[in-house]
Each structure stands twice: as C-alpha cells, then as structure tokens.
Amino acid sequence: MSDHALDTDTLRAAADDLARHDVALVTLDSLRFDVAAEAAAPNLKALGPLRRATSYGSFTLPSHAAIFGGFLPDVTEEPQWDFYSRELRQLWRLSRARRQAVPRASMLLNGDNIVEGFGRAGYRTVGAGGVRWFSSGYFPGLFDTFRYWGPDGDDTDKFAERGFGDFALDHVEELVGEVAATERSFLFVNAAETHAPYTRGTDDPFDTETQRIARSWSGSWNGGAVVPFTTAARKDMARLREAQRVALESVDRKLGRLFDALTRPTVVVVCADHGEAFGEKGWWGHNQPMPEVMSVPMWIGVLHPSGCQTAVP
Ligand SMILES: [Zn+2]
C-alpha cells in the first residue's frame, strides 16, 4: 500500500469492524506534542504510535467543538499515515457533513454532533471533565451522563489548589461502572492534570512552587501582554515544562488503570485539545494560535480486555 490508497471495500470493512466496538476518547488538556514525545508514558505508547496532529482550536472551547463536530485533531504528515490516509481522514464523520465521492471516515454518525450520533447508534454516552468549560452548559448537556471534577464557580482563583483525588481519571472505577452497565458505550474524559499548574495527582505532593509560577505568569497572560523573556523567566518556563511532563506521566499511570478496567473491545483515542507556549516569542499558555499551541499529540488504538492491543486498520 505504498501510495496509501484504500479501496472502498476496505473502508467499509473497517467501518463494520469499528461499529462493533465501544469507543473511549480522552483529551489531555493543554499537552504539548514535544512534552508528550519526551515523557515516559508506557500505557500510551502501547496504545499506538504517537502522532503529530494539528488541533482545530487554540483553546478548549473551539477545539472540543470541532472534536464533537467530528473532527479530531488532523494528521497531515505522510509518514504517520499508518492509520490515516488520503482517503481515511477521520475515525468518524457526521452524515450531514459535505458528501464525498469516497467515504473519508470509518464510522458515519447521524446527529448534530458525534455524542448525539453515538447515542442514536445505540451507545450510552458517558462524559467527565476537569476544566471549567465542562462545569456546566453546552458540552455536559450533550451526554446521557456527565460528571465534573474541577474548580467551582466563575470567580474562584483559576489556579486554586485542588484537593487530591478530584480529577476525572481518579474515578476510573466509577466511569467504567457506568459504561460496563450498558451494551455499548461512548466514554469521553477531559483530563485536567496537564493543564496549568500541571498537577501531579494523588501519588505525589502538590508542587506549590509550580503553582506559584503558573499563577504569576497567568497575570501577564490574561492581560494579553507579551512579556520580556528574561533569564529568570526562562528558568520559570523550564520548570513549568518539566511539571507538565511529570503531570502527563501521572496521567499515563491512571490511563493504565482505565485501560485494564475496560471489559469490552474498545477503540481508544487520546489526544490533546491544544498545546501550550513555554516562552516562545514571549508567550506563555494557550489561546494564541501559534505552532506550539496548535500542534498536539494523538494516539489511537483498539484495546481488548485480554490486554493485547491492535492498531486500527
Ligand atoms: Zn483545553
């Protein structure tokens, strides 16, 4: 398949195969591609190759609007087309999207968004979130069941210290219980550990110095100012970058528990919703569409309860 061409029969077979699986989609909030590439993340590595993808949004709202609209971060680099191809551009697609002569997705879903689409296809839709966009409103309302573990209200400190065990992925048993009780499920989790201040999770003391740095930089970021990038600032950024890597490694351990707990063959997609700037051109954080923010990591695979993984066709 040197030219990556897939015939229509192959695409239909892939669609039939995927339609028999449960689906789990995890977004790692704010995770940079290069941080993902340098982290020790054995459970993600076992899921499938790390793909460099481009997000459709520079912050949580537009990125998830695109994802729920059927557009995962898009893979455009040819060497990584072991799953994606010129023909197969997405895992799923809404039937109301523009008609194409050759189907460009494995699963065709009917509805205003993929959550409704999975619901209409007989899947129970279960969601969980950890950043404010999931505390109430549009996104949680899409799901049959939605749980939110994150900061409350609109006026609390954005970087207020969380208690231990209050991230969505600290509740794997509860989430798996929800999906195992039904015949087929679509599980969505927004993991906030990798969002500033890059909380490590339950198995490590909270790093107050990282929190202090993230809070101090958040002021300049929220004001939209591009700050002078001094030596001290570079040191701060290096520390934040390291903290995000450590946060991802804690998430990988939690994902291992989630993957082990799944009871049926499941198509699993893990991706960042957007990246993060660490001082490039004087910027920190996300919102601004720059390469470090728009380039994101993505892993896709099929998990079987027996523990063996296979790549999606
Ligand atoms: Zn986000």
Side-chain angles (χ1 to χ4, degrees):
M1 215 182 293
S2 58
D3 60 354
H4 300 284
L6 293 175
D7 61 59
T8 306
D9 287 346
T10 304
L11 287 168
R12 290 212 175 100
D16 287 347
D17 188 45
L18 278 179
R20 288 197 299 269
H21 289 78
D22 283 41
V23 175
L25 167 62
V26 179
T27 57
L28 306 178
D29 214 290
S30 313
L31 178 64
R32 266 173 79 121
F33 176 82
D34 54 2
V35 171
E38 68 195 26
N43 294 300
L44 285 165
K45 194 174 175 188
L47 180 62
L50 170 61
R51 296 176 169 86
R52 182 192 289 274
T54 304
S55 175
Y56 283 92
S58 63
F59 64 105
T60 305
L61 176 66
S63 174
H64 283 84
I67 288 171
F68 292 141
F71 293 90
L72 290 166
D74 219 331
V75 178
T76 54
E77 293 187 16
E78 288 196 43
Q80 305 214 24
W81 280 352
D82 52 330
F83 165 64
Y84 288 104
S85 66
R86 291 189 192 281
E87 292 78 19
L88 199 60
R89 292 288 301 280
Q90 288 284 344
L91 268 181
W92 40 66
R93 183 178 180 82
L94 295 178
S95 58
R96 62 165 51 185
R98 182 162 56 88
R99 286 179 65 88
Q100 293 167 323
V102 177
R104 287 200 162 181
S106 293
M107 305 173 79
L108 201 59
L109 299 169
N110 295 306
D112 287 338
N113 54 74
I114 64 164
V115 187
E116 185 182 336
F118 280 116
R120 287 193 188 182
Y123 289 65
R124 178 166 178 78
T125 58
V126 177
V131 304
R132 274 178 213 284
W133 295 106
F134 297 99
S135 64
S136 62
Y138 179 71
F139 291 145
L142 301 178
F143 291 82
D144 293 327
T145 305
F146 197 93
R147 293 292 309 274
Y148 173 70
W149 287 281
D152 295 325
D154 291 329
D155 55 356
T156 52
D157 183 352
K158 187 182 176 94
F159 297 104
E161 185 170 350
R162 290 165 180 264
F164 292 146
D166 57 358
F167 290 93
L169 287 175
D170 294 318
H171 301 269
V172 163
E173 280 185 10
E174 187 176 332
L175 295 172
V176 170
E178 286 266 6
V179 302
T182 61
E183 206 168 299
R184 274 195 304 185
S185 68
F186 170 65
L187 171 66
F188 165 77
V189 178
N190 165 251
E193 292 91 332
T194 47
H195 188 290
Y198 318 114
T199 314
R200 298 177 182 200
T202 57
D203 50 359
D204 209 341
F206 190 80
D207 183 342
T208 51
E209 174 63 4
T210 299
Q211 187 183 17
R212 183 195 65 74
I213 296 171
R215 183 186 282 115
S216 69
W217 278 83
S218 133
S220 53
W221 171 57
N222 286 338
V226 178
V227 299
F229 215 54
T230 61
T231 304
R234 282 185 201 285
K235 205 172 159 194
D236 278 357
M237 288 303 115
R239 181 161 186 143
L240 292 183
R241 183 194 177 98
E242 171 71 5
Q244 192 183 55
R245 182 183 64 75
V246 173
L248 171 61
E249 291 172 357
S250 83
V251 169
D252 183 75
R253 291 191 288 277
K254 298 179 195 182
L255 286 175
R257 292 196 280 278
L258 172 67
F259 296 165
D260 286 345
L262 295 173
T263 57
R264 294 187 294 262
T266 304
V267 176
V268 179
V269 180
V270 181
C271 64
D273 58 343
H274 50 78
E276 191 91 316
F278 284 116
E280 291 84 4
K281 295 187 169 66
W283 287 95
W284 175 67
H286 48 273
N287 271 342
Q288 67 283 9
M290 56 197 288
E292 294 78 8
V293 173
M294 305 309 286
S295 182
V296 294
M298 182 159 68
W299 300 261
I300 301 176
V302 180
L303 293 181
H304 297 278
S306 63
C308 65
Q309 287 95 33
T310 55
V312 176

